[in-house]
Amino acid sequence: MPFLWSYTDTLAAGDDGWWRAATRHAADLLEADHWWLDPPALVPVQHLLVETTALLSYALARSRDADPGTVTGRQLAAWAAARPLPILDETVPDTVEGSISLLQWSKIFEEQRLRQQNDLAKLLRAAGHRLPGTDDPVTELWQDLVDRENPGRRYGLGSRLPGPALTLGLGAVMQQFDRGAA
Protein backbone atom coordinates (compact mmCIF):
# COMPACT_ATOMS: atom_id res chain seq x y z
CA MET A 1 0.00 0.00 0.00
CA PRO A 2 2.08 2.96 -1.23
CA PHE A 3 1.61 6.48 -0.05
CA LEU A 4 0.51 8.98 -2.70
CA TRP A 5 3.71 11.03 -2.47
CA SER A 6 5.91 7.92 -2.84
CA TYR A 7 3.91 6.86 -5.87
CA THR A 8 4.19 10.27 -7.55
CA ASP A 9 7.95 10.32 -6.82
CA THR A 10 8.22 6.97 -8.57
CA LEU A 11 6.08 8.28 -11.42
CA ALA A 12 8.46 11.23 -11.84
CA ALA A 13 11.17 8.63 -12.61
CA GLY A 14 14.04 10.87 -11.56
CA ASP A 15 12.91 13.89 -13.56
CA ASP A 16 13.58 17.14 -11.73
CA GLY A 17 11.85 19.50 -14.16
CA TRP A 18 8.30 20.11 -15.32
CA TRP A 19 7.28 16.45 -15.19
CA ARG A 20 8.34 16.27 -11.53
CA ALA A 21 6.33 19.46 -10.92
CA ALA A 22 3.29 17.83 -12.57
CA THR A 23 3.51 14.65 -10.48
CA ARG A 24 3.84 16.70 -7.28
CA HIS A 25 0.91 18.86 -8.35
CA ALA A 26 -1.17 15.71 -8.91
CA ALA A 27 -0.34 14.66 -5.34
CA ASP A 28 -1.32 18.12 -4.08
CA LEU A 29 -4.66 17.92 -5.89
CA LEU A 30 -5.43 14.39 -4.72
CA GLU A 31 -3.93 14.29 -1.23
CA ALA A 32 -7.12 15.04 0.70
CA ASP A 33 -8.94 12.00 -0.72
CA HIS A 34 -6.13 9.65 -1.74
CA TRP A 35 -3.14 10.08 0.59
CA TRP A 36 -2.44 6.36 0.23
CA LEU A 37 -3.20 4.02 -2.66
CA ASP A 38 -4.84 0.64 -2.46
CA PRO A 39 -2.87 -2.23 -3.97
CA PRO A 40 -3.62 -2.42 -7.70
CA ALA A 41 -6.77 -4.44 -8.28
CA LEU A 42 -8.36 -5.60 -11.53
CA VAL A 43 -9.13 -1.92 -12.19
CA PRO A 44 -6.51 0.20 -10.38
CA VAL A 45 -8.72 3.29 -10.34
CA GLN A 46 -6.58 5.26 -7.88
CA HIS A 47 -3.41 4.60 -9.86
CA LEU A 48 -5.10 5.61 -13.12
CA LEU A 49 -6.45 8.73 -11.41
CA VAL A 50 -2.99 9.79 -10.19
CA GLU A 51 -1.31 9.01 -13.51
CA THR A 52 -3.94 10.73 -15.65
CA THR A 53 -4.07 13.75 -13.33
CA ALA A 54 -0.30 14.17 -13.60
CA LEU A 55 -0.21 13.61 -17.37
CA LEU A 56 -3.14 15.90 -18.15
CA SER A 57 -1.88 18.64 -15.79
CA TYR A 58 1.50 18.44 -17.47
CA ALA A 59 0.07 18.45 -21.00
CA LEU A 60 -2.36 21.31 -20.43
CA ALA A 61 0.32 23.48 -18.84
CA ARG A 62 3.41 22.66 -20.89
CA SER A 63 1.59 22.89 -24.23
CA ARG A 64 1.34 26.63 -23.49
CA ASP A 65 4.66 27.01 -21.60
CA ALA A 66 2.97 27.26 -18.20
CA ASP A 67 3.69 25.68 -14.83
CA PRO A 68 1.70 22.45 -14.23
CA GLY A 69 0.99 23.73 -10.71
CA THR A 70 -1.34 26.34 -12.19
CA VAL A 71 -3.78 23.74 -13.58
CA THR A 72 -6.85 23.32 -11.42
CA GLY A 73 -8.95 20.25 -10.81
CA ARG A 74 -11.84 22.09 -12.42
CA GLN A 75 -9.77 22.57 -15.61
CA LEU A 76 -8.90 18.87 -15.65
CA ALA A 77 -12.56 17.88 -15.27
CA ALA A 78 -13.63 20.37 -17.94
CA TRP A 79 -11.08 19.02 -20.42
CA ALA A 80 -12.26 15.44 -19.85
CA ALA A 81 -15.96 16.45 -19.89
CA ALA A 82 -15.50 18.12 -23.28
CA ARG A 83 -14.57 14.69 -24.68
CA PRO A 84 -17.42 12.48 -23.42
CA LEU A 85 -17.93 8.84 -24.21
CA PRO A 86 -21.34 7.53 -25.18
CA ILE A 87 -23.29 5.75 -22.46
CA LEU A 88 -24.30 2.20 -23.26
CA ASP A 89 -28.02 1.63 -22.99
CA GLU A 90 -28.15 -1.69 -21.15
CA THR A 91 -31.82 -2.14 -22.01
CA VAL A 92 -31.10 -2.73 -25.69
CA PRO A 93 -33.31 -5.63 -26.76
CA ASP A 94 -31.78 -8.82 -28.12
CA THR A 95 -33.03 -8.17 -31.65
CA VAL A 96 -31.56 -7.20 -35.00
CA GLU A 97 -32.32 -3.57 -34.20
CA GLY A 98 -30.64 -3.96 -30.83
CA SER A 99 -27.55 -5.44 -32.47
CA ILE A 100 -27.41 -2.55 -34.93
CA SER A 101 -27.77 -0.14 -32.02
CA LEU A 102 -24.86 -1.82 -30.19
CA LEU A 103 -22.72 -1.67 -33.32
CA GLN A 104 -23.47 2.04 -33.68
CA TRP A 105 -22.63 2.62 -30.02
CA SER A 106 -19.37 0.69 -30.41
CA LYS A 107 -18.38 2.81 -33.42
CA ILE A 108 -19.16 6.08 -31.63
CA PHE A 109 -17.32 4.89 -28.51
CA GLU A 110 -14.20 4.12 -30.54
CA GLU A 111 -14.36 7.48 -32.34
CA GLN A 112 -14.67 9.34 -29.04
CA ARG A 113 -11.92 7.26 -27.40
CA LEU A 114 -9.61 8.12 -30.28
CA ARG A 115 -10.57 11.79 -29.94
CA GLN A 116 -9.56 11.72 -26.27
CA GLN A 117 -6.29 10.04 -27.16
CA ASN A 118 -5.52 12.31 -30.12
CA ASP A 119 -6.40 15.52 -28.29
CA LEU A 120 -4.07 14.63 -25.42
CA ALA A 121 -1.38 13.59 -27.91
CA LYS A 122 -1.63 17.04 -29.55
CA LEU A 123 -1.03 18.69 -26.20
CA LEU A 124 1.97 16.46 -25.48
CA ARG A 125 3.42 17.15 -28.93
CA ALA A 126 2.93 20.88 -28.37
CA ALA A 127 4.89 20.40 -25.14
CA GLY A 128 7.76 18.98 -27.21
CA HIS A 129 7.30 15.21 -26.97
CA ARG A 130 7.55 12.69 -29.80
CA LEU A 131 4.68 10.23 -29.77
CA PRO A 132 4.75 7.35 -29.85
CA GLY A 133 8.03 7.24 -28.02
CA THR A 134 9.73 5.99 -24.91
CA ASP A 135 12.53 8.46 -24.43
CA ASP A 136 11.30 10.07 -21.20
CA PRO A 137 8.91 9.34 -18.30
CA VAL A 138 6.10 11.37 -19.90
CA THR A 139 6.06 9.37 -23.13
CA GLU A 140 6.55 6.13 -21.16
CA LEU A 141 3.39 6.85 -19.17
CA TRP A 142 1.57 7.91 -22.34
CA GLN A 143 2.45 4.58 -23.95
CA ASP A 144 1.32 2.66 -20.85
CA LEU A 145 -2.05 4.42 -20.92
CA VAL A 146 -2.78 4.02 -24.65
CA ASP A 147 -1.00 0.83 -25.79
CA ARG A 148 -3.37 -2.04 -25.01
CA GLU A 149 -1.85 -4.42 -27.55
CA ASN A 150 1.64 -4.70 -26.07
CA PRO A 151 1.87 -7.23 -23.22
CA GLY A 152 5.02 -5.41 -22.04
CA ARG A 153 3.03 -2.31 -21.15
CA ARG A 154 1.62 -1.83 -17.66
CA TYR A 155 -1.95 -1.66 -19.01
CA GLY A 156 -1.35 -3.93 -21.99
CA LEU A 157 -2.85 -7.31 -22.81
CA GLY A 158 -2.05 -8.89 -19.46
CA SER A 159 -3.63 -6.14 -17.37
CA ARG A 160 -7.23 -7.37 -17.77
CA LEU A 161 -8.60 -3.82 -17.65
CA PRO A 162 -12.23 -3.65 -18.79
CA GLY A 163 -11.44 -0.74 -21.11
CA PRO A 164 -8.74 1.59 -22.37
CA ALA A 165 -6.57 2.86 -19.48
CA LEU A 166 -6.58 6.49 -20.64
CA THR A 167 -10.37 6.49 -20.93
CA LEU A 168 -10.74 4.95 -17.48
CA GLY A 169 -8.27 7.49 -16.09
CA LEU A 170 -10.11 10.43 -17.65
CA GLY A 171 -13.36 9.09 -16.19
CA ALA A 172 -11.71 8.97 -12.76
CA VAL A 173 -10.45 12.54 -13.23
CA MET A 174 -13.96 13.73 -14.09
CA GLN A 175 -15.46 11.92 -11.13
CA GLN A 176 -12.81 13.26 -8.73
CA PHE A 177 -12.77 16.91 -9.80
CA ASP A 178 -16.26 17.50 -11.13
CA ARG A 179 -17.81 17.06 -7.67
CA GLY A 180 -17.37 20.68 -6.66
CA ALA A 181 -18.09 22.13 -10.07
CA ALA A 182 -21.84 22.46 -9.52
Side-chain angles (χ1 to χ4, degrees):
M1 165 172 72
F3 289 102
L4 174 63
W5 286 92
S6 298
Y7 189 73
T8 57
D9 282 347
T10 301
L11 198 57
D15 183 87
D16 60 358
W18 292 117
W19 176 238
R20 170 67 156 209
T23 63
R24 287 185 172 175
H25 181 59
D28 285 340
L29 289 171
L30 298 168
E31 184 176 32
D33 296 324
H34 302 279
W35 61 273
W36 59 273
L37 303 177
D38 293 324
L42 177 61
V43 182
V45 176
Q46 285 181 304
H47 294 78
L48 290 169
L49 172 63
V50 173
E51 293 163 4
T52 308
T53 298
L55 189 63
L56 187 54
S57 294
Y58 174 86
L60 287 171
R62 296 309 304 150
S63 65
R64 60 185 202 292
D65 286 333
D67 180 340
T70 63
V71 177
T72 66
R74 186 176 293 251
Q75 289 171 312
L76 297 171
W79 191 92
R83 291 147 187 87
L85 294 174
I87 303 296
L88 177 62
D89 180 1
E90 295 182 20
T91 63
V92 174
D94 190 14
T95 62
V96 171
E97 293 82 13
S99 295
I100 292 171
S101 177
L102 286 174
L103 286 173
Q104 289 171 334
W105 173 86
S106 180
K107 181 180 181 224
I108 294 168
F109 180 90
E110 185 60 15
E111 289 169 355
Q112 289 299 97
R113 183 196 67 77
L114 286 173
R115 178 178 175 223
Q116 289 178 336
Q117 182 176 315
N118 292 336
D119 286 355
L120 186 53
K122 287 176 192 171
L123 293 175
L124 291 169
R125 286 186 185 106
H129 295 278
R130 280 189 3 244
L131 298 175
T134 57
D135 43 12
D136 62 58
V138 173
T139 56
E140 277 289 329
L141 177 58
W142 165 256
Q143 286 295 113
D144 280 344
L145 291 172
V146 300
D147 186 357
R148 292 189 73 185
E149 302 304 315
N150 186 339
R153 289 284 166 202
R154 189 168 9 148
Y155 302 118
L157 289 173
S159 72
R160 301 185 330 240
L161 283 180
L166 179 62
T167 295
L168 294 169
L170 288 171
V173 164
M174 267 194 353
Q175 184 175 17
Q176 175 70 31
F177 298 112
D178 200 29
R179 293 184 286 175

